[in-house]
Amino acid sequence: MASAFEYAPAPESRAIVDIAPSYGLFIDGEFTEAADGKVFKTVSPASEEVLSEIAQAGEADVDRAVQAARRAFEKWSALPGAERAKYLFRIARIIQERSRELAVLETLDNGKPIKETRDADLPLVAAHFFYYAGWADKLDHAGFGANPRPLGVAGQVIPWNFPLLMLAWKIAPALATGNTVVLKPAETTPLSALFFADVCRQAGLPKGVVNILPGYGDTGAALVAHPDVNKVAFTGSTAVGKQIAKTVAGTRKKLTLELGGKGANIVFDDAPIDQAVEGIVNGIFFNQGQVCCAGSRLLVQESIQDELLDSLKRRLSTLRLGDPLDKNTDIGAINSEEQLTRITSLVERGESEGAERWSPACELPTSGYWFAPTLFTNVTQAHTIARDEIFGPVLSVLTFRTPDEAVAKANNTQYGLSAGIWTEKGSRILAVANKLRAGVVWSNTFNKFDPTSPFGGYKESGFGREGGRHGLEAYLDV
Amino acid sequence: MSDRLSVFKTYKLYVGGKFPRSESGRVYEVTDSKDNWLANAPLSSRKDARDAVVAARKAFGGWSGATAYNRGQVLYRVAEMLEGRRGQFVREVADAEGLSKSRAAAVVEATIDRWVWYAGWTDKIAQVVGGANPVAGPYFNLSSPEPTGVVAVLAPQDSSFLGLVSVLAPVIATGNTAVVVASERSPLPALSLGEVLATSDVPGGVVNVLSGRTSEIATPLAAHQDVNAIDLAGADDVLAKELEIAAADNLKRVLRPQPVDDWSATPGIDRMTAFLETKTVWHPTGSLGASGSAY
């Protein structure tokens, strides 16, 4: 929808970040080439510009990094908790100091709007390190008995949707509890993890405590399977999560999995419509919908369907899609060509199965990977778009008549990560929240995160919790 | 007087609150430690396992939805019933494990006490492992534990009663429902426990007891898409690995076999938390505006 007043571009300067033409693996406190010399390129999804060339870790590199982490473990785990805490506090502070630089970097490498990296990702990254720093010398009081011990070397594999935030979720509790880590960032977003290596250098973190191994799925598989890894933490797809669960079967490796979702956002007829619309938009279009806990299934009470959809469409027409570095941008680029293809094919499937597709008038840039915010009506529970995780800016709208029906439909999924409830009635919130089989339930809000709050799924959304006191358990011998 | 011929008991499965024979019609011979015949126990089939899962799923809503206080009362009622059948269990445990009467009595007492211990946990575990989270923002945010769902429990092979109760009680105390595979060699105390559960206030289907070959029954349970979790206590390493791989197919929560030197030692809360999910509920707070509410 063309509006009377267009916004002038308000681009954030990229001069603040200095991206080197190439990066190595970060092993034992040093940047190093891959043993077999392999490299890959990381591009900016908004422009397809090559940002840098990155060393690609192979099996030999995984082994070297695990050995470095093993050597470092002895001293790191023996440090008094208060000393480990100080390192983590240092890291938190340095992240705050370099927050703008890291936000621009993340936006360049991931394609998400600067508004989100600046106001959501980076503050949360720092907050996670602050939060877990404080736990390092208080583990006796965490409710896991006296003197809980670290597990050893943690092999961590993270996705591309929140590269630095997922790194923080993994590394902060691991280090606080006295483990050392080998982390594999996603192949499309390796840069912020490599910058984090530099943060570790500035913080004076002992060598080998944190090791970063960029690479593809095979690198992650080698890390997960390495016999000297004691703990595996993975965030990503359910399919890969199941594969990892099979790999660690019969070993003593402790495993936590944060996997897919198909969150139901339930709007009752007495909901505050304007707030609900904002919540729906935030629930599915935040980070281009590339969020495991996205509210990708909208369940609307039948009596307000028309009113709500009108409001929602009006609101979607005001979303601005474009340059992620522009501070006015709401919707950035899809992370990769591969992901764009996946979204496109699922959306075509939705159309072919008879759901009705709608998008606001929306001009897509000519280079880069883009997908307009999309809404499907006439969706039934049997439709692929109501069952499979799309991981993109695509919302499926279903309706219900009674609270029981809403609960039944919300729970009718293999996943169980998130859900939303919109109603003025407090007792209904509590009753419905009780019945939803999901690890996070947002009432009259959506997509809120905080380091003090456990996050994780039921059913095939994985197991274990990240964040809060609960998040410590994954890294302790309890 | 000793000429009287005693009445033997036909041991049956306990599924959905009823006592069926194995649908396969099979039994196997259960002997004491000196190889004397004790009874013919049902040799459960895959179909029995699936039936038990259906019963457990059906019971889950009611049991998990009951108040924690109510669940505590029900569990305590089981302890009362067990106490009344003390003599029977002492005999069965002595036979099953080759213990003297006095050793067996000690085991049975510890088992009843264990049950009481877990009965007291139903309305406390949420306070111990849940609570308010101090989020940085105008939100009310609470984490509370919830049962995972239907849990398959492979009871320990060596400790036919104390071990059994030590793995079963935590599963149902937290609101899960259970399909228990009794100790393969010594299933009789488990099958008799079914009779106790049926005469206390435990709703049918909350606990289902199967006897037979652990590997034969466990395999379909580990692969079952409607089982949410599995405790591998009664599996050896080779079987445990196989079951863990099968369990990955729907991402069951898996409790691997843990070395237990002494089942009589006070358990921690690990066996309860292994089958609990954490749900975090958020709601905005904030000062009330003119409209009377603040989202």
Side-chain angles (χ1 to χ4, degrees), chain A residues 94-434:
Chain A
I94 294 168
I95 286 168
Q96 286 180 325
E97 286 160 6
R98 299 178 61 174
S99 167
R100 187 167 171 149
E101 174 196 358
L102 292 168
V104 171
L105 176 76
E106 194 85 311
T107 284
L108 282 169
D109 204 17
N110 170 282
K112 62 169 74 187
I114 185 73
K115 193 170 80 172
E116 292 178 5
T117 50
R118 181 193 63 192
D119 299 345
D121 295 42
L122 263 299
L124 278 168
V125 170
H128 268 88
F129 279 100
F130 263 102
Y131 176 76
Y132 279 110
W135 267 124
D137 55 355
K138 301 170 190 68
L139 297 174
D140 283 351
H141 305 284
F144 304 111
N147 196 26
R149 306 298 306 150
L151 299 167
V153 175
Q156 307 177 319
V157 179
I158 58 170
W160 43 259
N161 58 342
F162 293 91
L164 199 52
L165 183 59
M166 293 301 102
L167 173 147
W169 283 24
K170 297 278 182 294
I171 291 186
L175 297 193
T177 46
N179 300 275
T180 54
V181 308
V182 179
L183 176 131
K184 187 201 90 73
E187 66 269 19
T188 59
T189 55
L191 286 177
S192 53
L194 295 165
F195 272 58
F196 179 77
D198 191 54
V199 171
C200 294
R201 175 190 65 80
Q202 290 185 331
L205 196 71
K207 289 179 192 304
V209 171
V210 168
N211 305 275
I212 310 280
L213 296 183
Y216 285 73
D218 55 341
T219 310
L223 177 57
V224 165
H226 195 288
D228 208 23
V229 163
N230 306 97
K231 153 79 193 171
V232 172
F234 172 74
T235 295
S237 74
T238 291
V240 175
K242 289 179 179 180
Q243 197 46 55
I244 290 175
K246 286 175 186 165
T247 303
V248 306
T251 70
R252 303 312 299 173
K253 290 176 190 173
K254 197 162 175 171
L255 175 65
T256 45
L257 298 172
E258 296 287 357
L259 309 175
K262 194 71 194 172
N265 208 354
I266 308 170
V267 184
F268 288 97
D269 57 7
D270 65 345
I273 295 286
D274 289 347
Q275 285 89 346
V277 165
E278 282 308 300
I280 294 162
V281 168
N282 184 34
I284 184 62
F285 300 113
F286 179 61
N287 205 30
Q288 295 68 249
Q290 302 168 132
V291 183
C292 52
C293 54
S296 54
R297 284 183 300 153
L298 178 63
L299 296 177
V300 193
Q301 196 149 17
E302 212 173 83
S303 52
I304 55 158
Q305 184 188 191
D306 293 344
E307 183 190 355
L308 185 86
L309 283 178
D310 286 349
S311 277
L312 186 58
K313 287 179 177 174
R314 204 160 49 238
R315 178 67 180 91
L316 290 191
S317 303
T318 67
L319 290 178
R320 283 181 299 274
L321 176 146
D323 180 7
L325 274 177
D326 190 320
K327 285 172 260 186
N328 290 324
T329 292
D330 299 303
I331 308 234
I334 299 300
N335 181 250
S336 64
E337 189 171 12
E338 189 192 351
Q339 184 59 19
L340 181 60
T341 307
R342 200 172 303 150
I343 296 169
T344 308
S345 86
L346 277 163
V347 163
E348 282 164 3
R349 184 96 181 257
E351 278 188 295
S352 71
E353 287 178 8
E356 207 168 292
R357 176 179 178 177
W358 181 89
S359 286
C362 186
E363 229 173 86
L364 300 182
T366 47
S367 65
Y369 319 123
W370 303 90
F371 201 87
T374 298
L375 193 136
F376 273 106
T377 50
N378 280 339
V379 179
T380 74
Q381 296 184 82
H383 282 147
T384 306
I385 50 168
R387 308 203 68 82
D388 289 6
E389 188 179 37
I390 298 175
F391 223 69
V394 181
L395 179 66
S396 298
V397 184
L398 299 96
T399 60
F400 67 90
R401 289 185 180 174
T402 64
D404 280 348
E405 190 188 345
V407 168
K409 282 184 169 167
N411 286 340
N412 181 17
T413 167
Q414 72 187 97
Y415 298 112
L417 189 50
S418 76
I421 305 167
W422 297 86
T423 169
E424 285 278 19
K425 200 169 165 155
S427 57
R428 184 181 286 155
I429 289 175
L430 297 176
V432 172
N434 239 342

Side-chain angles (χ1 to χ4, degrees), chain B residues 12-270:
Chain B
K12 297 195 201 173
L13 305 177
Y14 181 54
V15 176
K18 296 191 165 63
F19 295 97
R21 294 186 162 90
S22 167
E23 65 79 35
S24 65
R26 300 179 304 173
V27 292
Y28 72 114
E29 189 168 310
V30 178
T31 57
D32 67 11
S33 56
K34 298 192 184 73
D35 272 348
N36 299 311
W37 184 86
L38 290 171
N40 291 324
L43 187 61
S44 300
S45 65
R46 291 165 172 266
K47 177 72 164 71
D48 291 317
R50 290 198 299 271
D51 290 347
V53 173
V54 171
R57 173 59 60 198
K58 206 169 155 195
F60 178 68
W63 184 243
S64 60
T67 65
Y69 178 50
N70 181 231
R71 282 203 308 271
Q73 298 270 296
V74 171
L75 260 71
Y76 187 73
R77 178 75 180 156
V78 175
E80 291 177 347
M81 297 289 113
L82 282 171
E83 190 78 34
R85 295 228 205 176
R86 223 173 134 272
Q88 175 195 341
F89 281 106
V90 170
R91 253 190 336 274
E92 284 182 339
V93 170
D95 286 344
E97 299 178 24
L99 301 176
S100 68
K101 276 276 173 323
S102 64
R103 290 280 308 282
V107 168
V108 170
E109 281 158 15
T111 307
I112 299 171
D113 291 354
R114 173 70 35 90
W115 196 280
V116 172
W117 193 75
Y118 278 112
W121 262 116
T122 58
D123 52 3
K124 295 165 193 73
I125 189 74
Q127 289 177 308
V128 171
V129 303
N133 307 306
V135 297
Y139 297 95
F140 162 78
N141 169 316
L142 203 62
S143 290
S144 38
E146 290 194 344
T148 297
V150 173
V151 183
V153 178
L154 312 187
Q157 299 297 343
D158 297 333
S159 183
S160 63
F161 195 43
L162 178 54
L164 166 82
V165 163
S166 299
V167 297
L168 170 62
V171 167
I172 62 166
T174 46
N176 297 287
T177 56
V179 175
V180 186
V181 181
S183 161
E184 182 168 328
R185 220 191 87 75
S186 315
L188 303 186
L191 295 173
S192 290
L193 178 68
E195 295 164 19
V196 169
L197 296 168
T199 52
S200 46
D201 299 323
V202 181
V206 170
V207 178
N208 304 277
V209 184
L210 303 174
S211 59
R213 307 283 170 236
T214 297
S215 59
E216 184 184 357
I217 314 169
T219 306
L221 288 174
H224 200 297
Q225 295 298 302
D226 203 30
V227 171
N228 303 101
I230 187 164
D231 182 342
L232 300 175
D236 62 36
D237 285 350
V238 175
L239 178 62
K241 179 174 180 179
E242 202 178 290
L243 297 175
E244 191 176 345
I245 291 171
D249 212 44
N250 70 335
L251 293 165
K252 287 180 186 66
R253 283 55 176 143
V254 174
L255 186 58
R256 292 172 177 149
Q258 314 284 319
V260 177
D261 300 327
D262 178 11
W263 284 104
S264 66
T266 308
I269 62 170
D270 299 359

